Amino acid sequence: EKKDFFERGSMVDEFLNIYYQSKIDGRNDAMDIIMDRVQALHSKAMEAGIFGEDTLTSLFRALRISKMYIEDYAETVDKGWTFLEVQREVNSQFVTPSGVPFILNGFLDLIARDNHGRLWIWDNKTTGGEARFWTDDQLQSDTQLPTYVSALRQEGIEVFGCVINQLNTYDYKDESKMIQDRLFRRGEMFHSTKAIEGHVKELALT
């Protein structure tokens, strides 16, 4: 295992992947699977000599926020969603305005269907504080996710919109301040076909 896995954001991403894959598989033991994963990683890190006090602190904080997300937040706000795929690879070819082909390759955290039957792609993000949650303007100006929408449409998959699923991993000393409004926030973005085409062109030029 790479040492940078023990960065808090990386661990939270891993734990959320486990949770949503468990939902897809119809299992209710995500926290047990997460703890087994942590035990295995801890053993490997100890053997490699890369597990110190800082790593232990990061691991504790990642577990704490992930557990609160899974048990206190997601079980309520996820009602009505059907989760379809975790870590979906995207590998699509586009063409720049000058006619030069380029490949877009990456992974989507989650694909889900809402209670109206519409497909959404989700991006899980961790922040270092409540003030760092994305604003509405930041959501609408993001270029990465609309480009992935375009890639899926190339495959014949019609995506309705994107969800930015944010978790605040700041280390609150006073746990009474760890309330859902401060810890978790979801934003949605929608783009017209014309806007998405513009984002693809912008990506090709950078």
Side-chain angles (χ1 to χ4, degrees):
E1 299 292 341
K2 295 181 179 180
K3 184 177 181 180
D4 60 6
F5 172 83
F6 290 98
E7 293 176 355
R8 201 177 316 169
S10 298
M11 287 188 285
V12 171
D13 284 344
E14 173 85 0
F15 300 156
L16 292 191
N17 288 342
I18 291 172
Y19 171 66
Y20 283 109
Q21 187 61 56
S22 296
K23 298 287 283 187
I24 292 169
D25 295 340
R27 301 178 59 155
N28 296 311
D29 57 350
M31 285 307 303
D32 292 336
I33 300 172
I34 288 170
M35 291 308 301
D36 288 344
R37 172 74 168 146
V38 168
Q39 291 286 349
L41 289 168
H42 175 266
S43 297
K44 290 181 180 179
M46 290 291 288
E47 291 172 3
I50 61 173
F51 199 92
E53 184 175 346
D54 290 344
T55 302
L56 182 62
T57 300
S58 290
L59 177 56
F60 168 76
R61 294 172 183 171
L63 275 173
R64 180 172 66 171
I65 193 67
S66 299
K67 187 172 187 293
M68 293 180 70
Y69 175 89
I70 291 169
E71 297 181 352
D72 302 330
Y73 181 71
E75 286 299 318
T76 299
V77 299
D78 284 353
K79 289 180 179 178
W81 286 96
T82 301
F83 301 103
L84 305 174
E85 194 169 356
V86 171
Q87 287 294 295
R88 207 269 196 198
E89 186 173 10
V90 174
N91 193 17
S92 298
Q93 180 170 301
F94 293 93
V95 179
T96 69
S98 60
V100 178
F102 72 98
I103 300 295
L104 173 69
N105 180 258
F107 288 86
L108 302 174
D109 286 329
L110 188 62
I111 298 179
R113 191 184 303 277
D114 66 18
N115 57 2
H116 299 291
R118 301 172 301 196
L119 280 181
W120 298 71
I121 58 177
W122 286 36
D123 189 28
N124 299 321
K125 292 189 179 297
T126 56
T127 71
E130 179 185 358
R132 296 184 182 180
F133 282 140
W134 282 26
T135 65
D136 287 341
D137 286 343
Q138 288 173 314
L139 286 170
Q140 299 309 318
S141 62
D142 178 68
T143 60
Q144 180 185 24
L145 287 177
T147 305
Y148 283 129
V149 170
S150 181
L152 290 180
R153 287 178 177 175
Q154 281 192 5
E155 300 178 24
I157 301 172
E158 190 60 34
V159 177
F160 181 76
C162 309
V163 172
I164 304 295
N165 188 40
Q166 302 170 85
L167 293 83
N168 170 13
T169 61
Y170 179 77
D171 184 29
Y172 290 98
K173 304 302 181 185
D174 182 356
E175 293 198 2
S176 67
K177 295 182 178 180
M178 297 183 68
I179 58 177
Q180 288 188 10
D181 287 346
R182 285 181 171 168
L183 297 178
F184 313 116
R185 187 169 301 175
R186 284 185 184 167
E188 298 176 351
M189 65 171 72
F190 313 87
H191 295 280
S192 66
T193 299
K194 183 177 180 180
I196 289 174
E197 290 174 352
H199 288 315
V200 172
K201 290 180 181 178
E202 182 179 338
L203 179 67
L205 294 172
T206 56

